[in-house]
Amino acid sequence: MVSPWKIGYCLVCVGIIVYGIWDYLSNFEKNKCLMTYMFEMPEYIQIPLGKRLKEKYPRYRLFIYGEGQYARKLESNRKVPVNGVPVLFIPGNAGSYRQAFFRRANDKRYSFHFNYYTIDFNEELSALYGGMLQSQTEFVHECVKKILSLYEYNKPSSVVLVGHSMGGMIARALFTLPEFDQSSVNTIITQATPHQAPVISLDRMIATYYSSVNNYWRTHSNTSLKHVTVVSTGGGYRDVLVRNELTSLRGITDPDLSISTSTMSVPNAWVSTDHLCAVWCKQMVMLTKRAMFDIIDPATLQVTINTDERMNVFKHHFLSNPGTKKIPDYWKVEIQLYEEIPWVVKKEKTWEFAKKRVAEDYYYAVPMDQEGVNSFVAISNVDLQDWICICKIERNEERCKTCKSLSQKGQIIPPFDSYRKIIHIDYKDYPEMTHVVLIITAAPTQVEVMGDSYNKDYRHLSYKLPSVPDIVMTYPESVTKGVSVLTLYNDSLFYNLQLKGLDSVLRAYSAQLVPKHCTSKKDLHEGNMMSLHVPWSQEDVYSFSRVNEIGNLSIKLQSLASPMEDTNESVELRIYIDPTCSYQLKIIASPTESLGQTYMKQIVML
């Protein structure tokens, strides 16, 4: 007879496993993606490929996408009248060609437009069988050749490839084909693609396929592939099919020609996308479209062949937008400061400018020689490209006449579409300068500018996260009230907390920012922000909350630093708060998320 103790032990183990699976599949932020809608009815017009290809690939088809009158025009012509920039969408495992929809391929502000093509793989389960992947790769090769042959005027020399899931692997696999013209593709954008390894390797052919593709890219990144730029975005917490660490191109492509990031980190998106949502999430669709418009060479009306230009565009849209709505043609080195604009000296260490509307321009000048201060942080929503600069007041002068712009060092921050930006300035980098100048312009809408001069010793703090035994010893307080409580007093805009001990993806915590007391009008402030900065990857996570709301942020890793990377940097919790309020920061152990992380790690290892 089986011992009751053994039965009980088995039930507890099963319960823990089920609990971990439940957390992995359900415990993440709600879907914040906006739906993408078409201006007119979308249509997919099949492109004839000829008898030979039809017999060789009877299950596959090629379509061109259109809307409304444009689609009807395409359908009424036997010969497709195309003269734009060709973009080919490659679906992934069990994916549909109808996943490709792009809001308005034409933009009246530009003298060019895009032609979007999409492939029908008959919704094959390509992630489960490597033989399908090879067949699909060869068909895409034929489609690229067919697309380029359709153009009579302004003939393009390359096709932009957009691949979802396994479609991204197929895009890179094209270059391993002996007869593929490698100059016919110079830009690849992948969405939720498992570049590092297959999610589940069920047969030898898929393992061989991955090995062949990745080894080729490792070997040829600086030779035959040096003209190709690649962007890879993972979906973050919500994508339970392809975890973010699999979407990284680290160790596969040249880091100077590629970008790997998470949709949770992408500027002005900051959303986690599930595996299918990665295709239709409006924030990401619009960012991708803007990037594609910006890589077009105005001289040729096709994708620029300059890899540096393309990478600058992709970095702006996917990594580090300094807070501008479009990529500046250039950044001013020197800014003229006009005498008729009021010069307001802010001697307070922490200050704010918040008004529903602004009637005139101002220069807010922050002295850099304040006692006990070595750093400055500012947040501004002023709609101006050059909004902050640094200068030196000459002897016998009361104000600066010119200043050096620092605006390009800013970074856009949540909430979505607010175009708030933040900048950190270390005074030791500018020993000859005397003032930081924030430029505030007249505006009919609400303006919020905040500044904080501080000493790093008091704002850059270090905290060792409790280990599992520590959490157990302090249970249940560790998972209810928190393992640590830090009071953030008013007259402070920024805190940086180095999280020591977060060295495993299996450890999970939650940061809770609780507002206590405010002395100003709340309707003049956007709110508070927390961010988890991971120094070895582009996987920063953001959380935004209104002034009177409790902010929450999960503290857990999506990937670890590579063993080849010698980094002693710790994960950082960065906190930006209303300086007129006081807060409590609680760090709470999250055993359920730890179980979910454990289950996720086992799936990745499989």
Side-chain angles (χ1 to χ4, degrees):
M1 183 175 178
V2 180
S3 169
W5 288 101
K6 290 184 178 179
I7 295 176
Y9 176 77
C10 291
L11 289 175
V12 169
C13 291
V14 170
I16 290 174
I17 293 172
V18 171
Y19 200 22
I21 295 174
W22 173 81
D23 177 86
Y24 173 70
L25 296 176
S26 63
N27 187 17
F28 37 70
E29 66 176 27
K30 68 177 182 179
N31 194 339
K32 296 179 182 178
C33 280
L34 303 175
M35 186 62 193
T36 302
Y37 294 99
M38 304 302 104
F39 288 96
E40 298 178 273
M41 182 63 68
E43 295 186 39
Y44 300 85
I45 297 94
Q46 185 173 352
I47 294 178
L49 296 177
K51 182 179 179 181
R52 180 184 66 85
L53 292 180
K54 190 173 182 179
E55 291 177 351
K56 187 175 181 179
Y57 305 101
R59 302 185 305 276
Y60 303 158
R61 296 179 294 173
L62 175 65
F63 292 85
I64 186 169
Y65 169 87
E67 298 173 18
Q69 184 178 359
Y70 172 67
R72 289 189 292 272
K73 183 179 179 181
L74 291 176
E75 202 165 18
S76 63
N77 285 271
R78 290 186 178 181
K79 188 172 183 181
V80 182
V82 290
N83 59 358
V85 180
V87 180
L88 176 61
F89 174 75
I90 309 173
N93 178 61
S96 169
Y97 68 96
R98 294 182 179 273
Q99 288 176 298
F101 50 86
F102 297 85
R103 291 182 61 184
R104 187 163 289 186
N106 302 300
D107 192 315
K108 295 180 180 179
R109 295 172 297 175
Y110 298 92
S111 57
F112 60 88
H113 65 279
F114 292 91
N115 301 128
Y116 292 106
Y117 304 86
T118 179
I119 290 176
D120 178 17
F121 284 140
N122 199 31
E123 300 184 15
E124 290 179 339
L125 300 176
S126 56
L128 305 180
Y129 177 52
M132 289 181 180
L133 284 173
Q134 188 62 36
S135 177
Q136 291 178 358
T137 303
E138 293 170 359
F139 180 71
V140 172
H141 177 206
E142 299 292 344
C143 289
V144 170
K145 292 192 295 183
K146 179 64 178 181
I147 289 169
L148 291 175
S149 71
L150 297 174
Y151 293 78
E152 295 182 358
Y153 307 102
N154 188 31
K155 290 187 176 182
S157 59
S158 65
V159 178
V160 177
L161 300 183
V162 179
H164 173 244
S165 189
M166 297 305 292
M169 279 301 297
I170 292 172
R172 290 200 299 115
L174 282 174
F175 293 85
T176 66
L177 299 178
E179 298 181 0
F180 178 66
D181 179 4
Q182 298 195 355
S183 67
S184 63
V185 172
N186 63 21
T187 302
I188 300 174
I189 299 174
T190 68
Q191 304 162 328
T193 296
H195 289 289
Q196 291 290 334
V199 177
I200 300 177
S201 186
L202 298 180
D203 73 330
R204 185 176 298 178
M205 292 186 71
I206 196 169
T208 302
Y209 183 89
Y210 261 83
S211 177
S212 172
V213 174
N214 285 343
N215 285 338
Y216 184 88
W217 277 76
R218 291 186 184 103
T219 305
H220 296 85
S221 285
N222 294 314
T223 54
S224 59
L225 297 175
K226 64 182 180 180
H227 68 291
V228 185
T229 50
V230 188
V231 176
S232 174
T233 58
Y237 297 154
R238 288 189 61 87
D239 194 338
V240 298
L241 296 181
V242 178
R243 299 301 297 178
N244 212 75
E245 65 179 303
L246 292 180
T247 66
S248 173
L249 292 165
R250 184 167 55 185
I252 298 174
T253 58
D254 184 343
D256 293 330
L257 295 172
S258 60
I259 287 173
S260 300
T261 187
S262 164
T263 57
M264 302 176 74
S265 307
V266 173
N268 217 25
W270 304 300
V271 292
S272 181
T273 58
D274 62 51
H275 198 60
L276 296 179
C277 176
V279 177
W280 59 258
C281 180
K282 180 180 176 181
Q283 290 95 318
M284 290 304 301
V285 169
M286 296 305 293
L287 280 163
T288 304
K289 281 293 299 290
R290 291 179 188 130
M292 289 199 297
F293 270 100
D294 287 340
I295 61 174
I296 302 303
D297 185 344
T300 63
L301 301 184
Q302 293 294 332
V303 176
T304 177
I305 61 174
N306 189 314
T307 56
D308 290 336
E309 289 183 11
R310 293 203 303 271
M311 285 303 297
N312 287 337
V313 168
F314 293 142
K315 287 176 181 178
H316 174 89
H317 288 289
F318 291 96
L319 291 185
S320 56
N321 186 327
T324 57
K325 295 183 179 179
K326 62 178 183 178
I327 300 179
D329 294 329
Y330 66 95
W331 289 98
K332 291 182 180 178
V333 176
E334 189 174 83
I335 300 174
Q336 183 73 35
L337 300 177
Y338 301 100
E339 291 186 3
E340 61 270 21
I341 296 178
W343 179 269
V344 182
V345 179
K346 302 300 294 182
K347 295 184 178 180
E348 307 96 321
K349 290 186 177 180
T350 306
W351 54 268
E352 60 176 335
F353 178 98
K355 291 186 178 182
K356 287 189 177 295
R357 60 188 62 85
V358 181
E360 61 178 327
D361 298 348
Y362 296 94
Y363 295 138
Y364 268 40
V366 180
M368 298 171 62
D369 60 354
Q370 299 180 69
E371 185 178 355
V373 167
N374 56 24
S375 300
F376 179 73
V377 59
I379 296 177
S380 173
N381 69 345
V382 173
D383 187 9
L384 190 67
Q385 178 177 311
D386 294 294
W387 61 279
I388 189 167
C389 58
I390 197 166
C391 70
K392 179 182 180 180
I393 296 182
E394 300 296 339
R395 183 175 295 182
N396 300 325
E397 297 286 345
E398 295 184 353
R399 55 187 289 171
C400 294
K401 295 181 179 179
T402 62
C403 62
K404 177 183 177 182
S405 178
L406 298 180
S407 304
Q408 69 272 25
K409 298 180 181 295
Q411 176 68 34
I412 192 171
I413 59 173
F416 170 70
D417 241 6
S418 68
Y419 282 92
R420 290 206 311 166
K421 49 256 184 185
I422 192 166
I423 190 170
H424 288 265
I425 300 174
D426 192 333
Y427 286 167
K428 76 174 188 302
D429 295 334
Y430 308 96
E432 302 297 323
M433 300 299 179
T434 62
H435 287 75
V436 176
V437 182
L438 288 98
I439 302 172
I440 300 173
T441 56
T445 56
Q446 181 172 313
V447 171
E448 180 184 19
V449 182
M450 295 180 287
D452 187 4
S453 303
Y454 65 94
N455 190 308
K456 284 185 178 181
D457 293 340
Y458 301 106
R459 300 290 185 83
H460 288 235
L461 310 176
S462 180
Y463 174 70
K464 182 172 176 56
L465 291 168
S467 61
V468 174
D470 295 330
I471 295 170
V472 173
M473 291 293 292
T474 57
Y475 184 86
E477 286 80 5
S478 57
V479 298
T480 55
K481 298 180 180 180
V483 293
S484 176
V485 178
L486 177 66
T487 300
L488 308 180
Y489 296 101
N490 54 7
D491 291 332
S492 301
L493 175 61
F494 164 72
Y495 281 89
N496 185 80
L497 200 61
Q498 284 193 338
L499 302 177
K500 302 293 185 181
L502 192 60
D503 52 5
S504 169
V505 295
L506 306 184
R507 301 179 69 172
Y509 307 84
S510 176
Q512 193 175 86
L513 187 64
V514 183
K516 289 299 182 181
H517 178 68
C518 297
T519 59
S520 69
K521 295 182 180 180
K522 297 176 182 177
D523 60 347
L524 290 177
H525 300 276
E526 285 281 2
N528 311 305
M529 186 188 78
M530 292 188 289
S531 69
L532 189 70
H533 173 62
V534 183
W536 54 80
S537 68
Q538 300 294 337
E539 295 177 356
D540 290 13
V541 182
Y542 297 83
S543 169
F544 176 81
S545 58
R546 298 297 173 184
V547 173
N548 58 343
E549 296 176 348
I550 296 176
N552 293 281
L553 178 70
S554 291
I555 299 176
K556 56 186 179 182
L557 297 177
Q558 300 178 64
S559 63
L560 293 175
S562 169
M564 302 298 292
E565 296 173 339
D566 183 18
T567 176
N568 294 319
E569 295 181 283
S570 300
V571 175
E572 296 176 351
L573 176 61
R574 298 174 178 176
I575 308 161
Y576 301 91
I577 54 180
D578 182 348
T580 66
C581 301
S582 59
Y583 299 83
Q584 271 193 345
L585 175 68
K586 299 180 180 180
I587 296 181
I588 303 169
S590 182
T592 57
E593 290 194 59
S594 292
L595 290 173
Q597 290 285 91
T598 302
Y599 178 76
M600 175 273 292
K601 189 64 177 177
Q602 295 305 314
I603 291 295
V604 171
M605 291 174 65
L606 290 175

